[in-house]
Amino acid sequence: MADLKVPVGSDDHCAGEDDAAVTLVEYGDYQCPDCGVAYPVVKQLQKHFGDKLRFVYRNFPLPMHEFAEAAAETAEFAGSKGKFWEMHDALFEHQDEFSETFFGDLAEQVGLKPAALEKALEEETFTDKIEDDINSGEQSKVHGTPTFFVNEKRHGGDYDFDTLKHAVEQAAA
């Protein structure tokens, strides 16, 4: 299995401390049903491990998902306003509601200006950041979502709580 080829850096969205014992990186797609299943598992892991775990989310929108790219751009727009994690969570919690008009409504719900988001989407302001995430995933042999890396080692197992918990515990040992 491939290792994480592009280390976690300042351009990444990180929840947790840089010196956490374990870093969990997810390559995900906001419209992917499997990523939707993994979302509460990651939240549960964060709660369980607390400051021992740093979680990093990287965009890997799949072409088969009509709104995945727009969702990733929406998350990056929110990130540019200091609200990445609020938008990340809202996107997964409303995954089944995606539509042409949905992202503006969601931006407003998290305290952002829908018109500014619309402009960013039209101008593809965050496309380069998303392409960087995709390229880093491809370098690490990511082909689908979700794909997890635990301390830069690809997690080849399931992504249920017990399996990921065990992988994090092993990495921390």
Side-chain angles (χ1 to χ4, degrees):
M1 280 196 259
D3 290 342
L4 187 68
K5 299 298 183 195
V6 177
V8 174
S10 60
D11 288 342
D12 282 305
H13 299 289
C14 303
E17 299 301 320
D18 290 347
D19 63 351
V22 178
T23 296
L24 177 66
V25 175
E26 177 185 359
Y27 283 90
D29 171 335
Y30 291 105
Q31 197 173 4
C32 168
D34 291 332
C35 293
V37 170
Y39 165 73
V41 171
V42 170
K43 291 300 235 185
Q44 190 178 3
L45 289 168
Q46 290 175 298
K47 184 176 181 180
H48 179 79
F49 288 104
D51 61 5
K52 295 178 186 139
L53 180 69
R54 174 174 65 157
F55 175 60
V56 178
Y57 186 86
R58 290 182 175 170
N59 297 293
F60 204 83
L62 300 172
M64 69 190 70
H65 296 136
E66 179 182 4
F67 298 109
E69 179 77 24
E73 289 183 54
T74 298
E76 290 301 328
F77 168 78
S80 74
K81 308 295 184 197
K83 295 193 173 227
F84 176 81
W85 292 110
E86 293 92 333
M87 184 61 77
H88 168 275
D89 293 355
L91 286 164
F92 278 121
E93 290 165 10
H94 299 279
Q95 188 181 50
D96 60 343
E97 299 172 39
F98 289 6
S99 70
E100 293 290 332
T101 59
F102 172 76
F103 301 109
D105 294 342
L106 195 58
E108 192 167 39
Q109 287 178 28
V110 299
L112 300 171
K113 296 179 181 174
L117 170 61
E118 186 176 326
K119 182 178 179 193
L121 291 173
E122 285 173 6
E123 295 177 357
E124 299 181 341
T125 305
F126 300 100
T127 301
D128 287 347
K129 165 66 171 102
I130 294 162
E131 285 300 316
D132 288 347
D133 282 358
I134 292 168
N135 290 335
S136 76
E138 289 172 346
Q139 289 176 46
S140 300
K141 308 289 188 232
V142 172
H143 300 292
T145 58
T147 298
F148 291 99
F149 291 83
V150 180
N151 280 356
E152 298 189 357
K153 302 289 182 199
R154 186 175 180 137
H155 172 72
D158 291 334
Y159 47 88
D160 61 274
F161 178 75
D162 290 332
T163 304
L164 276 173
K165 176 177 168 266
H166 179 73
V168 169
E169 289 170 343
Q170 292 294 328

